[in-house]
Every structure is written in structure tokens, then in C-alpha cells.
Amino acid sequence: MTDLDRGTDRRGRRAKRILTPLQKYEVWLQLIRQETTVAGAAINWQVDPSTITRIKAVAKEGALTALSESKPGARARERDWEIEALRADNARLAEAVKQIA
């Protein structure tokens, strides 16, 4: 295989390139920061422009799903229950120590 043939199949088409999740994240960051365009990213990462468009769509869908599932304050309420349980346990133990003494 010569350097000219590298990266193409027998019909002259570009060989399929699969990006890792980290690479896809880097592509998405470049697009969000407006460091590149879809066409520019496709050239830089040696993939089809439809691959870049799909990365954008999946990232948007994933972000919207994650944001819709997040409930502000839910973890704080869970911690409040733990604190109340610990305070009650502390009061019970303090009372037991007073009775022993």
C-alpha cells in the first residue's frame, strides 16, 4: 500500500474512522466553542460531516435528558434526613450516658 492509497478502500472511498467517546467530546467542545465548523471538524478528524452532525445531535439529546432528570435540592434533602437521624441517635446516646453515670 502506498502513501497515496492509505486511508481509502479499493473503490477510492475514504476508510471508515471510528472516534472514541473522548474524541467525540473534543469534537463537541470545538463546535460549542465555535473553534471550528461542521465541515472543518470533519476534515480535521477525517470523518464524514454527517458523523459530526450526529455527534452534535447526540450530545444535545444527552444533555437535555440529563438536565431534565436532575432535581435541584434533592441531594440536600437526603442529607437533611441523615443529619436528623444522626442528631436523634446522638440525643439517645447522650441520654443513655447520663443514666449510666
Side-chain angles (χ1 to χ4, degrees):
M1 178 184 288
T2 67
D3 287 338
L4 295 175
D5 295 332
R6 186 166 289 144
T8 60
D9 65 6
R10 282 185 258 155
R11 295 183 182 173
R13 297 178 297 196
R14 183 173 26 197
K16 186 174 183 178
R17 176 147 187 243
I18 298 174
L19 300 176
T20 66
L22 183 59
Q23 290 172 325
K24 292 176 184 178
Y25 180 69
E26 289 297 324
V27 169
W28 180 75
L29 285 178
Q30 289 176 354
L31 293 168
I32 292 298
R33 292 180 192 146
Q34 296 182 347
E35 295 173 358
T36 188
T37 62
V38 171
I43 292 168
N44 291 340
W45 291 93
Q46 299 175 352
V47 295
D48 192 71
S50 65
T51 302
I52 303 299
T53 303
R54 182 72 182 142
I55 289 170
K56 282 176 52 177
V58 169
K60 180 180 177 181
E61 184 179 313
L64 289 174
T65 301
L67 290 170
S68 69
E69 291 176 358
S70 70
K71 307 270 190 272
R75 290 187 184 221
R77 276 187 261 126
E78 289 172 8
R79 280 184 264 143
D80 289 344
W81 286 103
E82 290 177 16
I83 290 171
E84 288 177 26
L86 290 171
R87 285 183 180 152
D89 196 35
N90 190 21
R92 182 185 57 80
L93 292 173
E95 193 62 36
V97 170
K98 285 180 190 175
Q99 287 178 1
I100 292 172

